[in-house]
Amino acid sequence: MKVLLATEKPFAPAAVQGIREIIEAAGHEFLTLEKYTVREELLAAAAGADALIIRSDKIGADVFAAAPGLKIVVRAGAGFDNVDLAAATEKGVVVMNTPGQNSNAVAELAVAMMIFISRGQFTPSTGSEIAGKTLGIQAFGNVGRLVGAKAKALGMKVKAIDPFLSAEKIIEGGAEPAASLKELYSTCDFVSVHIPATPETIGSIGYELITSMPKGAVLVNTARKEVIDEAGLEKALEDRPDLKYITDVAPGNAAALSEKFGVRFFATPKKMGAQTSEANVNAGLAAARQIVDYFETGNTRFQVNK
Ligand code: 3PG
């Protein structure tokens, strides 16, 4: 089988080497397309592939049409909103993710972002400390739980909410359950967002929730830009000069926000939450193993389009 690693944002060399070893040891052919700049390159490279390993690369109907032999796509990472699942299912292609493999890297960035913005983006001004403050975690999955544990170790009080978890599970995970999203936002000095982008969540964090936050609060988004109502965010930052927003998934209006709000706003130039060699190795090798296992045994444990 031909396995193509197609990553517009490349993995660390150690991850690529590890993936190659797993794929080739199982008797498959390994091909790479890294740092591609035009879609045609992806379509041409995918043409003969039986399996794809991707990151945030957009995999839509055009890729499935260009790659008639494609059997499996593994998103080396957690979020799979970049893959058109309906188109995959229609073509009989299995889609998987590698949940948890890059969570620690994202969680470390979320914590770093809280400190960075609380210290005025490392400009010489009087900042504030995160110890003693309350952190609200919106979605208590792999990343959210790790953020909570790290925040507690740094002396924060941690609350969480998750539509898929009972209060007992949240307590087991080390956080105090919030009764509602409104309560989480209105009682926490920091809110860290870890929800996926779905039809239900897109645009769901807007003016009302953001302005319900206490004085001086910070909203941290290492999840997806789409979950924020950007116009609502901008108006909230205008009306509440005490609020701050820091994100790893730059909004469409990032330049305007930067200009208007200075050190109260920060967005990374390119999503970097999972961009550590450890996360690349964890997610990349997991993806390679899942493909080999799928071809050998038909294991679909991590399939997301069942
Ligand atoms: C994920 O969903 O796993 C993260 O957003 C990482 O995305 P990336 O592989 O594009 O860095």
Side-chain angles (χ1 to χ4, degrees), residues 1-6 16-33 44-53 70-72 287-288 291-292 295-296:
M1 300 282 182
K2 283 192 165 100
V3 180
L4 172 69
L5 173 71
V16 180
Q17 183 54 29
I19 295 169
R20 176 183 296 282
E21 284 166 15
I22 291 168
I23 300 295
E24 291 181 348
H28 304 299
E29 189 181 340
F30 182 60
L31 305 155
T32 59
L33 174 71
D50 298 285
L52 274 186
I53 299 175
L70 196 59
K71 296 159 190 64
I72 177 168
I291 287 172
V292 168
F295 284 141
E296 280 174 9

Side-chain angles (χ1 to χ4, degrees), residues 44-273:
D50 298 285
L52 274 186
I53 299 175
I54 53 155
R55 296 184 68 179
S56 290
D57 307 80
K58 297 246 174 305
I59 304 299
D62 58 341
V63 175
F64 297 116
L70 196 59
K71 296 159 190 64
I72 177 168
V73 174
V74 180
R75 192 284 190 240
F80 46 87
D81 48 305
N82 51 318
V83 182
D84 183 339
L85 295 188
T89 305
E90 198 189 313
K91 294 280 183 188
V93 179
V94 167
V95 181
M96 296 184 189
N97 66 349
T98 64
Q101 299 291 348
N102 57 19
S103 302
N104 188 65
V106 180
E108 285 190 9
L109 185 73
V111 173
M113 283 185 146
M114 291 196 281
I115 297 173
F116 180 62
I117 198 122
S118 299
R119 293 299 184 96
Q121 299 189 22
F122 299 165
T123 55
S125 56
T126 302
S128 56
E129 299 175 22
I130 64 169
K133 306 290 191 310
T134 303
L135 167 66
I137 299 180
Q138 185 177 356
F140 207 46
N142 291 316
V143 181
R145 281 197 301 271
L146 285 167
V147 172
K150 293 175 198 306
K152 274 176 90 169
L154 291 168
M156 299 185 89
K157 181 179 167 192
V158 178
K159 288 186 175 186
I161 194 159
D162 191 305
F164 302 103
L165 292 179
S166 64
E168 289 71 32
K169 287 278 173 214
I170 288 179
I171 293 166
E172 267 173 42
E176 180 190 319
S180 65
L181 207 50
K182 203 169 171 354
E183 188 214 298
L184 190 87
Y185 273 75
S186 62
T187 60
C188 290
D189 305 298
F190 293 82
V191 169
S192 191
V193 177
H194 301 289
I195 52 177
T198 67
E200 294 74 37
T201 65
I202 288 173
S204 63
I205 302 169
Y207 184 83
E208 214 175 309
L209 271 182
I210 298 168
T211 54
S212 74
M213 296 179 84
K215 192 167 166 38
V218 176
L219 181 61
V220 182
N221 182 5
T222 53
R224 289 292 181 270
K225 80 183 178 96
E226 290 83 1
V227 302
I228 304 287
D229 164 12
E230 294 179 2
L233 167 72
E234 190 167 346
K235 187 162 166 32
L237 292 172
E238 267 163 18
D239 291 358
R240 285 278 307 276
D242 57 304
L243 297 179
K244 300 183 184 84
Y245 181 60
I246 185 159
T247 182
D248 187 34
V249 279
N253 55 351
L257 297 186
S258 219
E259 172 96 25
K260 271 183 169 172
F261 304 118
V263 291
R264 294 169 52 214
F265 168 78
F266 178 84
T268 52
K270 190 157 191 156
K271 186 168 65 155
M272 55 172 288

